[in-house]
Amino acid sequence: MKIICLGQNYPHGEAAAPQQPVIFLKPDSCILHGGNPFFLPEFSQRITLEAELAVRICRLGKYIDPRFAHKYYDAFTLGIDFTAQDLYDRLAAEGQPVDIAKGFDGAAAIGRWIDKGAFEDPGRICFGLSDGEKDVMRGETGQMHFSIDQTIGIVSRYYTLKTGDILLTGAPAAALTVKGGERFSGWIDREEVLHLKIK
């Protein structure tokens, strides 16, 4: 399986909306399993996270018409996209690929899946991340530049979607720098689906 990620999929300040989704991949070795803590890696001095709605692909598909895209996913959860931000910035400045800054082991925490039938409208799902006192990131799928169905239509031009693939649909706010000892909980429509400890 693979993790297909979107960048710049929400309005941020004065930035113009992209003409098409910004797409990148994370390997399956990124996934944090079973609520395990995220260990800050020794190769980075600044780790950031972004909270995103995650979509689970449930059938094989290629060149999927957006009108039928809803048949290709069956569940939602909250996903966390970690970035080694200092490494990312250096590689980008040098014109090098940034894959290792986004795709290192443990760089994607995935919450508990909820069947999509529990939601009236995938275009109006609220989600967020809390530090126990307040929400530190929150969004709604209706704010996305590219909807889930539009994204699946576009992504499937380039990659064959397979059962078990995960689509991370982008972050609604700027990335948050994390430090050891912090704890977070993630929610969808206020149902808690993820616990995360930073070590």
Side-chain angles (χ1 to χ4, degrees), residues 38-54:
F38 175 83
F39 289 91
L40 295 167
E42 47 80 24
F43 53 78
S44 176
Q45 300 304 306
R46 184 184 173 214
I47 295 291
T48 62
L49 66 74
E50 296 166 294
E52 312 183 13
L53 185 80

Side-chain angles (χ1 to χ4, degrees), residues 43-194:
F43 53 78
S44 176
Q45 300 304 306
R46 184 184 173 214
I47 295 291
T48 62
L49 66 74
E50 296 166 294
E52 312 183 13
L53 185 80
V55 181
R56 186 174 68 191
I57 302 300
C58 64
R59 60 189 294 190
L60 185 72
K62 179 71 173 175
Y63 292 109
I64 299 165
D65 189 314
R67 294 177 300 168
F68 307 115
H70 64 278
K71 298 180 179 181
Y72 289 82
Y73 57 93
D74 65 355
F76 303 112
T77 191
L78 192 81
I80 302 296
D81 174 14
F82 287 102
T83 303
Q85 196 64 55
D86 50 351
L87 179 58
Y88 181 100
D89 292 343
R90 177 175 63 79
L91 292 171
E94 295 172 355
Q96 297 187 36
V98 297
D99 301 56
I100 58 172
K102 298 287 288 184
F104 58 90
D105 289 352
I110 304 297
R112 173 178 56 85
W113 293 104
I114 301 177
D115 188 275
K116 74 175 184 181
F119 302 90
E120 291 185 10
D121 182 2
R124 292 291 181 269
I125 297 175
C126 294
F127 62 94
L129 190 71
S130 170
D131 65 3
E133 296 181 357
K134 63 183 183 304
D135 289 337
V136 295
M137 193 171 293
R138 60 182 298 159
E140 182 187 309
T141 53
Q143 301 168 330
M144 295 192 297
H145 293 310
F146 301 95
S147 70
I148 296 168
D149 292 357
Q150 287 174 317
T151 298
I152 286 175
I154 294 169
V155 167
S156 66
R157 296 177 193 167
Y158 305 100
Y159 302 112
T160 297
L161 298 182
K162 296 184 177 182
T163 300
D165 285 351
I166 297 170
L167 176 64
L168 291 181
T169 55
L176 176 70
T177 300
V178 298
K179 59 183 184 295
E182 290 184 309
R183 293 176 180 267
F184 300 97
S185 59
W187 52 269
I188 303 177
D189 284 354
R190 285 298 167 185
E191 181 171 349
E192 197 169 84
V193 293
L194 180 146

